[in-house]
Amino acid sequence: MSGLIGKKIGMTSIFDENGKNIPCTVIELGPCVVTQVRTEEVDGYVALQLGFDDKKTATKAAEGHAKKAGTVSKRKVVEFQGFDEEYKLGDTITVDHFAEGEFVDVSGTSKGKGFQGVVKRHGFAGVGQATHGQHNRLRAPGSIGAASYPARVFKGMRMAGQMGNEKIKVQNLKVLKVVSEKNLLVVKGCVPGHKNAYVTIQK
């Protein structure tokens, strides 16, 4: 799936031709520079390595890698496959790679929420709908089922723990607008991550 690297700007809403208010996300998409071309002969597969967002300081190795493409080191580097066009080292791919009305997949890292309890993490109802053997503890998980058999807690038991900070892919989001002069892509709905978080968008 061909794609580009971008940065989540934030959310807004627009009206369609029927006057319906549609929530949408604005993404700064590209321009991305081709920093390496993977070929079947050398690498065993065909892909393009794209770089996005200039880096102020970088290691000598990263600077040398970017210099081959005639650019500066990039903060985010991702490989994509499935481009129909032929691109060479140093070429720039812009937001015009996508068109209005297309459906895309957006991948990113969700907001980290730290260590959370079962009510927030798994939607347990608390003491209002007292289940799981709760007595006087409002947000406790209650019984977790272990006895002399199995004498252990089964894997996958819904309990408190780290929440968020996971890679998430949201599929089939419709492209509502492509603003070429500002490198902006507007997609319907929400995408994972905080403001200014890096995301990858694939056709």
Side-chain angles (χ1 to χ4, degrees), residues 37-58:
V37 179
R38 302 285 192 181
T39 61
E40 191 75 45
E41 298 78 28
V42 178
D43 305 288
Y45 65 100
V46 177
L48 290 180
Q49 185 190 85
L50 303 183
F52 172 72
D53 205 4
D54 294 348
K55 208 174 185 179
K56 290 183 180 178
T57 58

Side-chain angles (χ1 to χ4, degrees), residues 68-105:
K68 291 178 184 176
T71 183
V72 297
S73 298
K74 302 296 181 181
R75 288 184 177 274
K76 187 73 173 174
V77 178
V78 180
E79 281 189 6
F80 294 94
Q81 295 178 325
F83 282 94
D84 295 328
E85 304 87 354
E86 289 287 334
Y87 291 102
K88 301 188 298 293
L89 196 64
D91 285 353
T92 300
I93 307 176
T94 65
V95 69
D96 293 322
H97 181 67
F98 296 93
E100 291 183 14
E102 280 186 328
F103 288 88
V104 296
D105 297 346

